[in-house]
Amino acid sequence: MDAPPTRPSSAANSAFPPSSARATPRPGLKADQEVTVSCAEGETGHVYDGRLAFEENDVDVEGLPRTRTKVMLNLAAPAGSFRWWRLPADGVGLARMEFMVTHYVRIHPMALLHPERLDAEDRRVVDELTDGYTDRRAYFTDNVAHGVARIAASRWPDPVVVRASDFKTNEYARLLGGRPFEPEEANPMIGWRGASRYYGPGYREAFALECQGAVPAPGTMEFHHGGQDAFGHQRFGGIGPRLAAEIEHWLGKEARPVVLGHVQRGGTPTALDRVLATRFGWHAVEALHEGTFGHLTALRRTRIQLVPLAETVGRLRTVPPAQWVEARAVL
C-alpha cells in the first residue's frame, strides 16, 4: 500500500496518468477515505490516495485474430463465468474446485460426513445450511455440480478443465466445521495438500464427494417435465424457478419466475414469447453488469429499452377511449 507509483499501465483496458500526476500514496487508510486501487501495473498492486482519472479502451473482440495456440480462461468463482463469457477463448483451462466449495458449499466436506465431531454451534449452522437434505452428501455434490455446470454452460461447447480442491490446511480449517479435521502446520504451503490429501485417510471420503459432484451421473440433474406439445415434442422447464431460488438465496430478496405467455395472453407461450423472454433477460443481465439499477426492461415497438421504475409506477395508465371502443366491438 505504501509502494511508490510505478510506470503507466500497459494493460489493454486502462491507462493511468504519469507518475507526476498521481496522488501521493499514504501509509494507511481511514474511514470514508476515497482511494484508487490499481491492479494493472505488473505483479504488484498499488493503492493511491484520491480518485485518479483513468481511460477505458474498448476492444472489439470479434476483430481479434485467432491464435494457433488455444487460449483458455482461468476462472475462480463460478459467478465470474457469466462476466467473461464473451471473451474469445477456447474454453476454461482451470476451474478450481476449492472456490466452488467456498462460494456454494461453505462447509468442510468432512463435517458433512462426520457431524458428530462438531461442536453444538457449528452443528446448528450446518443444520440450517443443509435444511431439506436427508443425505448431506447430496448437499455437497449438488452444490459442486451446479458450480461446475454454471462454468461449463458459459463456455459450451468448449472444454472446461476442473481441478480438484487444493486448499491449504489453514484455509480448509476456516470452512464451517473445519477445525476438527485439519492439523496445525508451521508452513501450510508445503504441508498436507494436493494428492497426498486426496488419498489420505483424513480426507479420502471427501475427495470421493468432489469426484461425484464434478460429473453428475446422466439423468440425475433435476428438470421439470412439461409433457408434450401439440407436435409431440418433449417439453422441459424449471430453469425459471431454479434461477429465482438462486437469486433469492444470494440476494435475500423474494424472487418469482414469470412465464411471459401467461402474462400476455393467459395461454401457452409461443415462439415469440420465448424469444422475447430471452431478450428481456439478456438486457436485464446487461443492465445488472453495468450497474444500471432501478430500471426494468420494456418492449417499445420492436426494441428492448430500459425504463426507470419511477416512470412505470409514477402514474396510472389507462386504456385510450378509442381502443376501448374497438375492444368492445371485437370482444
Side-chain angles (χ1 to χ4, degrees), residues 98-120:
E98 58 263 31
F99 288 100
M100 299 176 203
V101 175
T102 300
H103 289 270
Y104 286 90
V105 180
R106 294 174 287 170
I107 305 171
H108 194 290
M110 293 298 290
L112 293 169
L113 296 170
H114 297 283
E116 71 279 358
R117 296 178 58 180
L118 305 182
D119 61 34

Side-chain angles (χ1 to χ4, degrees), residues 123-145:
R123 191 178 302 179
R124 182 190 65 80
V125 179
V126 169
D127 288 342
E128 289 182 357
L129 290 176
T130 59
D131 184 37
Y133 280 88
T134 56
D135 183 357
R136 288 176 173 172
R137 292 175 298 181
Y139 169 83
F140 183 92
T141 56
D142 281 357
N143 280 281
V144 168

Side-chain angles (χ1 to χ4, degrees), residues 212 215-223:
Q212 294 169 20
V215 185
T220 60
M221 294 294 282
E222 179 182 357
F223 287 95

Side-chain angles (χ1 to χ4, degrees), residues 1-329:
M1 182 169 60
D2 57 351
T6 60
R7 63 187 182 282
S9 168
S10 59
N13 63 343
S14 65
F16 278 87
S19 300
S20 59
R22 295 182 179 169
T24 304
R26 301 297 184 188
L29 297 178
K30 301 177 182 179
D32 300 323
Q33 177 184 356
E34 290 189 340
V35 298
T36 299
V37 180
S38 171
C39 301
E41 301 176 89
E43 295 182 356
T44 303
H46 299 93
V47 179
Y48 299 102
D49 186 17
R51 301 180 64 174
L52 303 186
F54 64 92
E55 297 177 357
E56 292 186 1
N57 299 323
D58 293 330
V59 178
D60 182 9
V61 297
E62 297 295 334
L64 295 178
R66 298 288 297 179
T67 58
R68 287 181 294 176
T69 301
K70 288 188 175 182
V71 178
M72 305 181 80
L73 300 177
N74 183 337
L75 287 179
S81 59
F82 288 103
R83 181 180 181 185
W84 306 114
W85 70 272
R86 287 180 293 183
L87 292 178
D90 299 296
V92 176
L94 176 60
R96 303 179 182 183
M97 180 76 72
E98 58 263 31
F99 288 100
M100 299 176 203
V101 175
T102 300
H103 289 270
Y104 286 90
V105 180
R106 294 174 287 170
I107 305 171
H108 194 290
M110 293 298 290
L112 293 169
L113 296 170
H114 297 283
E116 71 279 358
R117 296 178 58 180
L118 305 182
D119 61 34
E121 177 59 19
D122 281 355
R123 191 178 302 179
R124 182 190 65 80
V125 179
V126 169
D127 288 342
E128 289 182 357
L129 290 176
T130 59
D131 184 37
Y133 280 88
T134 56
D135 183 357
R136 288 176 173 172
R137 292 175 298 181
Y139 169 83
F140 183 92
T141 56
D142 281 357
N143 280 281
V144 168
H146 291 155
V148 174
R150 191 169 187 175
I151 294 176
S154 71
R155 302 309 314 185
W156 187 88
D158 295 320
V160 172
V161 180
V162 180
R163 187 191 71 182
S165 65
D166 192 33
F167 274 146
K168 301 183 288 292
T169 51
N170 59 327
E171 294 170 325
Y172 270 113
R174 286 198 290 267
L175 292 173
L176 178 61
R179 290 290 178 187
F181 304 97
E182 300 298 329
E184 292 188 9
E185 298 179 317
N187 189 350
M189 181 66 72
I190 58 174
W192 187 41
R193 61 184 300 198
S196 64
R197 171 182 284 270
Y198 304 153
Y199 60 72
Y203 194 79
R204 186 182 304 157
E205 296 174 274
F207 180 60
L209 290 183
E210 292 188 22
C211 296
Q212 294 169 20
V215 185
T220 60
M221 294 294 282
E222 179 182 357
F223 287 95
H224 296 283
H225 295 265
Q228 294 184 341
D229 62 14
F231 303 96
H233 301 141
Q234 186 71 35
R235 294 166 54 189
F236 295 94
I239 187 61
R242 182 176 292 278
L243 182 58
E246 286 284 321
I247 294 174
E248 191 165 317
H249 172 73
W250 290 108
L251 299 184
K253 303 289 186 180
E254 182 182 7
R256 299 181 181 180
V258 175
V259 179
L260 193 60
H262 296 174
V263 175
Q264 292 189 148
R265 280 184 296 281
T268 302
T270 65
L272 175 63
D273 296 327
R274 299 183 190 281
V275 173
L276 186 57
T278 302
R279 293 177 64 198
F280 277 141
W282 175 287
H283 285 268
V285 171
E286 288 289 319
L288 180 64
H289 176 62
E290 296 171 1
T292 306
F293 302 104
H295 292 68
L296 60 79
T297 52
L299 179 67
R300 287 183 171 172
R301 295 182 175 86
T302 60
R303 300 186 61 184
I304 303 294
Q305 297 183 357
L306 294 178
V307 180
L309 290 176
E311 181 180 330
T312 63
V313 300
R315 61 185 178 87
L316 179 64
R317 297 175 181 269
T318 58
V319 178
Q323 293 185 12
W324 176 245
V325 173
E326 291 178 357
R328 289 184 62 183

